[in-house]
Amino acid sequence: MIYIGIDNGITGALVAISDHPGPPIGMLPMPLKGKAKGNEVDAAAIWHWFRDDCGWSLDQITAILETPGKHSPGTNALCSMWDSYGAIRGVLESRGIRHHRIAPQTWQKAMLGNVDKGQTKPAALAKARQLWPDETWLATPRSKTPHTGMIDAALIAEYARIKNL
């Protein structure tokens, strides 16, 4: 079984892990395409990653898609999160990829424990470094800081592996 954690935001990612403990076996920063104002998730690129780049049979995959919240600092951000969620869910549903939806609070509580508000990103990085000490979490060779979307996606996948979803 391959578990693919999906942090569905514009700055999110997809990370695949095996059903056996070990390092991630595939990572994709969220592919984007331009629109009139800003960017949106490139659903076709996500499908191509599943189909062409990974080499896994679709019946081996369980994807875990993080659901967006109902609150955001602004209307545009909230709309963007739900648009991304819909595009990714459309790929999963239309291609028959087994998937589960999970609230951020569910996986964060299980993987990070009780964390003060605003401290989930540092706690997630610490947990990811504990689980996968050799992983840099850099999106590209030129990146200087860990990609928080890849970290969250990996922890979502690990949550699914532990829970045997």
Side-chain angles (χ1 to χ4, degrees):
M1 180 65 60
I2 306 295
Y3 293 102
I4 299 179
I6 305 173
D7 177 353
N8 72 355
I10 294 291
T11 59
L14 294 86
V15 173
I17 64 172
S18 168
D19 56 355
H20 304 290
I25 57 176
M27 293 192 277
L28 177 70
M30 191 59 67
L32 305 174
K33 62 181 180 180
K35 61 179 188 174
K37 287 187 178 183
N39 291 310
E40 64 186 6
V41 167
D42 186 342
I46 291 172
W47 168 238
H48 290 294
W49 184 72
F50 274 102
R51 187 190 67 195
D52 301 330
D53 297 341
C54 298
W56 309 305
S57 170
L58 294 182
D59 62 350
Q60 291 179 294
I61 295 172
T62 297
I64 302 82
L65 176 60
E66 184 179 54
T67 57
K70 296 178 181 158
H71 306 285
S72 175
T75 304
N76 288 342
L78 186 62
C79 290
S80 174
M81 288 188 311
W82 281 99
D83 181 62
S84 299
Y85 174 78
I88 297 165
R89 188 167 162 231
V91 169
L92 299 174
E93 299 244 350
S94 67
R95 302 303 180 168
I97 298 170
R98 181 179 33 252
H99 63 283
H100 300 276
R101 293 173 261 182
I102 188 168
Q105 299 83 356
T106 302
W107 73 262
Q108 287 172 355
K109 183 168 177 124
M111 297 303 295
L112 306 177
N114 291 325
V115 177
D116 291 338
K117 187 172 183 166
Q119 295 302 308
T120 56
K121 296 299 181 191
L125 177 58
K127 183 66 174 184
R129 286 188 169 151
Q130 174 192 353
L131 292 170
W132 304 287
D134 295 331
E135 183 56 56
T136 65
W137 304 109
L138 300 177
T140 69
R142 295 181 54 176
S143 297
K144 299 212 184 308
T145 59
H147 190 286
T148 59
M150 291 193 322
I151 293 164
D152 285 357
L155 292 173
I156 292 166
E158 179 66 6
Y159 170 84
R161 187 189 70 77
I162 291 168
K163 297 293 185 180
N164 197 28
L165 295 181

